[in-house]
């Protein structure tokens, strides 16, 4: 994964932030949106695109575009740095291959222990019953 190429393919949009902040929030576009088109990206192979598509499915728009936002800081540059770091981390996590699951069985001792405990519980409950009603 070439991070410089990824950042080059992403495009940023500065918009006005919502919430408290008074006059600053009304006149300064400090919120940053990062847009990344996964389908037309040349930074990934088809296999990597498929993996990212599956992992990021809830975050993608209908035309396979990833949109991230940041308005934590009052500085547009700081927000751009934060959203870029989030984007790169999201891509790194999305590209990780899942470990294959190794099937395991309970040991013979564990099965016997479970059956012994089950029998013990059964006997305990049976001893509570009224012998005349049986």
């Amino acid at each position: 994964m070439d991070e410089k190429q990824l950042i080059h393919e992403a495009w940023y949009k500065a918009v006005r932030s919502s919430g408290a902040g008074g006059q600053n929030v009304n006149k300064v576009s400090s919120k940053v949106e990062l847009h990344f088109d996964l389908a037309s990206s040349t930074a990934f192979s088809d296999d990597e695109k498929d993996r990212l598509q599956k992992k990021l499915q809830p975050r993608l728009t209908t035309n396979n575009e990833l949109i991230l936002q940041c308005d934590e800081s009052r500085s547009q540059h700081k927000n751009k740095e934060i959203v870029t770091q989030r984007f790169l981390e999201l891509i790194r996590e999305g590209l990780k291959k899942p470990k294959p699951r190794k099937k395991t069985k309970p040991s013979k001792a564990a099965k016997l222990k479970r059956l012994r405990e089950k029998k013990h519980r059964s006997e305990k409950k049976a001893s509570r019953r009224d012998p005349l009603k049986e």
Side-chain angles (χ1 to χ4, degrees):
M1 175 181 80
D2 185 18
E3 291 182 3
K4 287 184 180 180
Q5 185 179 359
L6 278 177
I7 294 170
H8 183 72
E9 287 183 1
W11 56 279
Y12 298 89
K13 184 177 172 184
V15 292
R16 289 202 178 130
S17 187
S18 63
Q23 188 178 1
N24 185 64
V25 108
N26 296 331
K27 68 178 187 174
V28 179
S29 297
S30 60
K31 180 179 179 179
V32 176
E33 287 184 352
L34 179 143
H35 295 257
F36 180 74
D37 189 5
L38 183 62
S40 66
S41 174
T42 58
F44 304 113
S45 67
D46 289 337
D47 184 44
E48 289 173 328
K49 281 184 186 180
D50 290 341
R51 192 173 313 125
L52 283 170
Q53 177 95 28
K54 287 176 188 165
K55 290 248 180 123
L56 302 176
Q57 188 59 49
R59 292 174 155 259
L60 295 174
T61 62
T62 53
N63 53 350
N64 288 335
E65 187 177 31
L66 177 68
I67 302 174
L68 299 175
Q69 301 175 343
C70 181
D71 62 350
E72 290 175 15
S73 172
R74 292 177 73 173
S75 162
Q76 187 183 109
H77 298 292
K78 184 72 176 162
N79 284 335
K80 188 174 179 180
E81 286 176 24
I82 293 169
V83 80
T84 303
Q85 289 306 313
R86 277 190 204 156
F87 169 65
L88 293 174
E89 185 59 33
L90 196 65
I91 296 296
R92 275 189 218 108
E93 290 297 315
L95 287 176
K96 283 185 181 175
K97 291 184 180 176
K99 291 182 182 177
R101 182 184 179 277
K102 295 177 183 174
K103 292 183 179 178
T104 58
K105 291 181 184 177
S107 65
K108 192 170 187 179
K111 287 180 184 177
L112 290 172
K113 180 182 175 190
R114 181 182 61 86
L115 292 172
R116 268 197 314 272
E117 289 173 354
K118 198 171 179 181
K119 184 78 172 164
H120 178 71
R121 274 192 307 276
S122 172
E123 288 170 355
K124 187 194 300 182
K125 291 180 179 187
S127 69
R128 295 179 192 154
R129 280 192 227 124
D130 187 6
L132 300 175
K133 288 187 177 178
E134 290 180 355

